[in-house]
């Protein structure tokens, strides 16, 4: 074959091969540079995508009750029970005198807001005639006198954490004071 190549063909082939080699070399250099640049750039981090991924791989339930976990759960339960007890007014006492002293006295010892005073037997006499059950109901549900236009006795004296039993005990104690 080579015998058919003229000297100018050979020169062309030489130059052409050199050109191909140079182009290939340039391509390799560009690939290396490109790879280096890509490595050195900070990777894009999509906050929302990361959150979504964290969501997807989150465990279905997160309660782990090993010995440590169980102890923590017991402690949490005890704390919750204590918090629930604190929700009951005045430590849950059914001592009417104590509850009166902590709440009802605000109005019923001063006559504030038009409340019948604990010392005013005359004011209480007609109320007591309604019967203790009615007084208790009025104290629990709130009351604005027989006409509905009187001064407001707020439900449970304004403390919804009081139980009905606590209100009843307090009303009974109040009545015992004005009879
Ligand atoms: C914000 C003031 C206020 C507080 C606090 C308050 N009262 Fe009263 N109470 C009133 C007023 C005012 C009346 C009179 C309502 C009326 O007849 O219009 C009243 C009336 C009553 C009556 C008579 C209801 C009737 O049927 O005549 C009872 C019993 C009573 N209160 C119990 C209590 C108890 C128990 C507490 C505490 C738990 C309490 N009150 C706290 C304002 C108050």
């Amino acid at each position: 074959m080579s015998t058919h190549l003229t000297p100018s063909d050979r020169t062309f082939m030489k130059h052409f091969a050199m050109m191909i080699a140079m182009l290939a070399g340039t391509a390799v250099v560009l690939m290396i540079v490109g790879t280096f640049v890509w490595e050195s750039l900070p990777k894009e981090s999509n906050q929302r995508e990361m959150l979504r991924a964290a969501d997807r791989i989150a465990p279905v339930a997160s309660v782990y009750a090993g010995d440590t976990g169980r102890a923590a759960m017991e402690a949490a339960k005890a704390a919750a029970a204590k918090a629930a007890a604190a929700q009951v007014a005045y430590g849950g006492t059914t001592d009417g005198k104590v509850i009166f002293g902590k709440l009802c006295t605000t109005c019923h010892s001063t006559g504030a807001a038009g409340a019948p005073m604990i010392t005013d037997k005359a004011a209480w006499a007609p109320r007591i005639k309604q019967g203790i059950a009615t007084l208790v109901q009025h104290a629990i549900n709130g009351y604005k006198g027989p006409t509905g236009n009187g001064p407001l006795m707020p439900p449970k004296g304004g403390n919804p954490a009081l139980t009905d039993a606590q209100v009843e005990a307090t009303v009974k104690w109040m009545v015992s004071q004005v009879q």
Side-chain angles (χ1 to χ4, degrees):
M1 282 282 266
S2 58
T3 50
H4 296 117
L5 291 174
T6 64
S8 84
D9 280 345
R10 246 182 234 125
T11 310
F12 168 78
M13 287 298 276
K14 216 163 96 189
H15 289 167
F16 189 70
M18 271 164 65
M19 219 170 77
I20 295 289
M22 263 163 62
L23 283 174
T26 310
V28 168
V29 168
L30 283 175
M31 275 159 70
I32 291 169
V33 169
T35 306
F36 177 77
V37 168
W38 184 77
E39 295 277 10
S40 64
L41 281 178
K43 295 293 163 289
E44 187 182 345
S45 61
N46 184 329
Q47 193 74 19
R48 235 186 308 140
E49 190 53 52
M50 275 161 62
L51 285 176
R52 241 183 286 150
D55 220 38
R56 275 197 302 272
I57 62 175
V60 177
S62 55
V63 174
Y64 168 67
D67 279 347
T68 319
R70 206 188 334 272
M73 279 161 70
E74 297 293 331
K77 215 197 269 175
K82 211 165 139 197
Q87 294 296 302
V88 179
Y90 318 127
T93 181
T94 46
D95 186 333
K97 188 180 179 183
V98 170
I99 297 170
F100 182 88
K102 288 193 182 289
L103 174 63
C104 322
T105 186
T106 327
C107 298
H108 287 284
S109 292
T110 61
M117 278 166 69
I118 194 74
T119 50
D120 190 346
K121 292 189 182 187
W124 280 97
R127 295 180 187 272
I128 291 169
K129 277 210 188 90
Q130 301 174 101
I132 197 86
T134 303
L135 290 175
V136 169
Q137 279 313 304
H138 289 168
I140 290 172
N141 301 320
Y143 186 54
K144 289 184 92 181
T147 60
N149 293 318
L152 173 68
M153 161 63 203
K156 295 188 172 179
N159 186 347
L162 277 171
T163 64
D164 290 1
Q166 284 179 306
V167 175
E168 182 177 347
T170 312
V171 171
K172 283 180 175 162
W173 179 83
M174 285 167 75
V175 168
S176 77
Q177 299 302 297
V178 285
Q179 264 173 336

